[in-house]
Amino acid sequence: MILLGILAAAGGGAVGPFATGGTITEADGYWIHTFNSSGTFTPTEDLTCEYLVIAGGGSGGWGVISGAGGAGGYRSSVVGESSGANSSAESTSSLTNGTGYAITVGAGGPANTSGSYSAGTVGSNSVFNSITADGGGRGGAYQNNSTGGNGGSGGGGAGDDSSPGGGGNGTSLQGLSGGAGRGGSPFTGGGGGGAGSSGIAGTSTGNGGNGLASSITGTSVTRAGGGGRGYTVQSGTQGIAGTGGGGNGGTSAVVGFSGLAGTGGGGGGGGQNPSYGNSGAGGSGIVIVRYGA
């Protein structure tokens, strides 16, 4: 339920919310401020807050045998849940009455529509107070920047004639690595890394790594999954995205799929070029802040 003002308790006392900014809801004894775009969070009293900060996902590489985009970096202080790369929850934030805290919600890397083999684009960072989540790594492309890019989670590498590209690295405590590409027959790209597991190498499925689930809003939602690798001609298959909003790879008749908005999911690698070689874009990130009601 969206709450647009101060609520009166049964006894007439004010019960919150105790800050402004974002879309404000209440669940399980918490006030929750969700930012799907950049804004400002301003407490109206001193607060101790939990947060979930996810950056934009990276996009996949153009054309067949391309790597997928990695998920945006994942940072969480929710008690009892994991932060990125299955690490322990971070410390909560102490915020001061009347201070405006800038929120930046990172965009996903744009789809690669270049029409020629080239790597994807890294996602943009998301920021809350002093907390920065790194944008997801880009997917590699055949014979042109075949190595997956580093990022919150690493992008997948691409297949190549001589030395297939390795997967990109994830940022420590934010996400995991992308899968390596494969040379030879069949040439294949690697899946993008996710917040909860690494992307799968092209020697196997080339699927994306899984994201992580959070119940910060009162409902469990999985976010920050890696994208699936691009279409492989010899085997006729695409990579499948990891759970958490990543995009599947393209096919012989469909371009790469984009990551879902608000999840930081990585974009899928491109389909059969030239007609379907475009990759999927990375999904935009999200920032969620909550405190006790």
Side-chain angles (χ1 to χ4, degrees):
M1 177 172 61
I2 297 176
L3 301 161
L4 301 177
I6 302 297
L7 295 186
V15 296
F18 305 115
T20 62
T23 298
I24 306 173
T25 55
E26 187 274 338
D28 300 333
Y30 292 96
W31 290 105
I32 303 142
H33 295 245
T34 301
F35 292 82
N36 288 298
S37 58
S38 299
T40 304
F41 179 83
T42 306
T44 55
E45 61 177 53
D46 292 345
L47 294 175
T48 298
C49 298
E50 295 174 309
Y51 57 80
L52 177 64
V53 181
I54 302 176
S59 60
W62 189 90
V64 296
I65 62 177
S66 56
Y74 186 107
R75 299 189 63 174
S76 172
S77 68
V78 179
V79 175
E81 295 184 357
S82 295
S83 193
N86 305 301
S87 59
S88 298
E90 301 184 17
S91 299
T92 56
S93 290
S94 297
L95 305 179
T96 303
N97 178 19
T99 300
Y101 296 89
I103 302 280
T104 301
V105 175
N112 186 337
T113 60
S114 64
S116 61
Y117 293 115
S118 57
T121 303
V122 65
S124 297
N125 297 349
S126 289
V127 182
F128 164 58
N129 195 13
S130 61
I131 307 302
T132 299
D134 294 342
R138 56 156 181 77
Y142 175 67
Q143 293 186 329
N144 188 352
N145 296 320
S146 62
T147 300
N150 299 332
S153 291
D160 209 337
D161 292 321
S162 55
S163 54
N169 296 318
T171 301
S172 177
L173 308 181
Q174 294 192 28
L176 295 165
S177 60
R182 170 181 173 162
S185 182
F187 295 112
T188 60
S197 64
S198 298
I200 308 301
T203 51
S204 184
T205 62
N207 291 347
N210 292 329
L212 290 171
S214 176
S215 296
I216 189 171
T217 62
T219 301
S220 180
V221 178
T222 302
R223 304 177 178 88
R229 64 158 167 77
Y231 181 70
T232 298
V233 177
Q234 292 95 331
S235 62
T237 59
Q238 66 182 136
I240 304 302
T243 57
N248 293 338
T251 72
S252 60
V254 178
V255 300
F257 291 78
S258 295
L260 295 180
T263 69
Q272 174 103 34
N273 55 290
S275 298
Y276 303 103
N278 294 348
S279 74
S284 58
I286 195 169
V287 175
I288 304 173
V289 184
R290 80 174 186 181
Y291 51 87

